[in-house]
Amino acid sequence: MKRWIAFWNIMLKDMRAYYLKPPNISWGIFFPAAWTAMFFIKSGRGLESISALLPGVIGVSILFGTTSMLAVTVTFEKKNRSFERLLLEPIPLEMLMLAKTSGAILFGVANSFVPIILALFLADLSRVAWMVVLPAVVLIAIASTFLGLFIAVSVSEVFEAQTFSNFFRFPMIFLCGLFFPISSLPTFLRPVSYLLPLTYGVDILHGAIGGNNIMSPGLDFSIMAGFCMLLFYVSLRNIHRRWIV
């Protein structure tokens, strides 16, 4: 019971201290809307293109919402030695890091609903397989959060975390099939796309929303789950090697 009380308090503290601040809430609302408007203007298409753009906007919203906050907060707490105090909590390191990442996962899931709600008012989404979209959104949020955790535990300074985050995030926008089909990429870049977890999450969304996925949902979910476990394992290993003496 003490472990779960500690887990809840750590997650609640992070939510209050970082994720529920007005700037972060406004970021979660306006960022997806800005991306949607940008691609509407760029494509020159009308409301009929919403179903094609929606998976990419959801993916970008989750990716930036999770990694932007977590990579900074974890690095900041390590720099201020707050993380060392958390190690005194009566919970294992694995559970501690799950508590630290739960707030970012919830924040990423909440971000995903902003473009979904906007799209509901602008397009007919009656054919969307929501029972596939919802678990895909959660899995993308978990994978993106664990990517942010990996970035945070691989650097020492906050500015390094931001730079390292962009090293992953911006290529993923163009390589993961968010707005441009992977088949349209140069041949030598396509293998890189399949090394990125967001590729499989967005493929699930494309299939559930527009019916144009390139892999089976079962394969996508399995690979995404594998990426989540791998990123979390590598992050814990880096914590043991770099942060715990």
Side-chain angles (χ1 to χ4, degrees):
M1 181 62 69
K2 288 183 179 180
R3 292 182 176 184
W4 288 109
I5 293 175
F7 180 97
W8 172 257
N9 286 330
I10 292 171
M11 184 183 72
L12 193 61
K13 185 269 294 182
D14 283 355
M15 292 293 292
R16 290 174 175 173
Y18 303 117
Y19 300 106
L20 295 181
K21 297 295 184 181
N24 297 325
I25 296 175
S26 61
W27 165 269
I29 295 175
F30 291 115
F31 182 77
W35 271 95
T36 304
M38 181 186 71
F39 276 94
F40 275 156
I41 295 173
K42 179 66 177 179
S43 65
R45 295 178 291 178
L47 297 179
E48 68 276 2
S49 64
I50 286 181
S51 60
L53 294 176
L54 185 57
V57 177
I58 292 174
V60 168
S61 302
I62 298 173
L63 177 66
F64 277 78
T66 53
T67 55
S68 295
M69 289 301 302
L70 187 69
V72 173
T73 56
V74 173
T75 310
F76 179 77
E77 290 195 352
K78 172 60 172 63
K79 188 70 175 178
N80 286 354
R81 308 182 72 88
S82 300
F83 183 80
E84 295 180 4
R85 292 194 295 271
L86 290 175
L87 292 176
L88 300 177
E89 296 287 346
I91 58 175
L93 178 63
E94 293 80 5
M95 197 171 185
L96 169 61
M97 298 316 299
L98 286 175
K100 292 295 295 179
T101 54
S102 294
I105 293 172
L106 293 176
F107 188 71
V109 172
N111 271 12
S112 71
F113 282 100
V114 175
I116 291 175
I117 293 172
L118 291 176
L120 286 172
F121 286 101
L122 300 174
D124 180 16
L125 301 181
S126 59
R127 297 184 179 181
V128 174
W130 295 109
M131 296 304 293
V132 178
V133 170
L134 295 179
V137 163
V138 174
L139 203 54
I140 294 172
I142 294 173
S144 300
T145 298
F146 288 169
L147 175 63
L149 178 63
F150 166 74
I151 293 169
V153 300
S154 300
V155 300
S156 301
E157 301 289 343
V158 174
F159 73 88
E160 293 176 336
Q162 288 285 29
T163 304
F164 200 23
S165 296
N166 292 332
F167 177 80
F168 284 96
R169 292 185 301 193
F170 285 104
M172 290 172 74
I173 294 176
F174 302 100
L175 296 177
C176 292
L178 275 73
F179 304 104
F180 313 102
I182 295 177
S183 59
S184 67
L185 296 175
T187 304
F188 68 93
L189 283 179
R190 294 177 193 174
V192 181
S193 300
Y194 294 104
L195 296 176
L196 302 171
L198 191 58
T199 297
Y200 303 94
V202 172
D203 188 56
I204 299 172
L205 295 178
H206 276 300
I209 296 174
N212 54 351
N213 51 307
I214 58 178
M215 290 172 283
S216 67
L219 179 62
D220 285 327
F221 275 113
S222 299
I223 296 176
M224 281 285 289
F227 269 112
C228 292
M229 291 186 288
L230 177 63
L231 288 169
F232 191 64
Y233 169 77
V234 174
S235 299
L236 290 179
R237 186 180 179 188
N238 279 349
I239 292 173
H240 278 289
R241 292 178 57 188
R242 296 167 59 92
W243 291 9
I244 300 178
V245 181

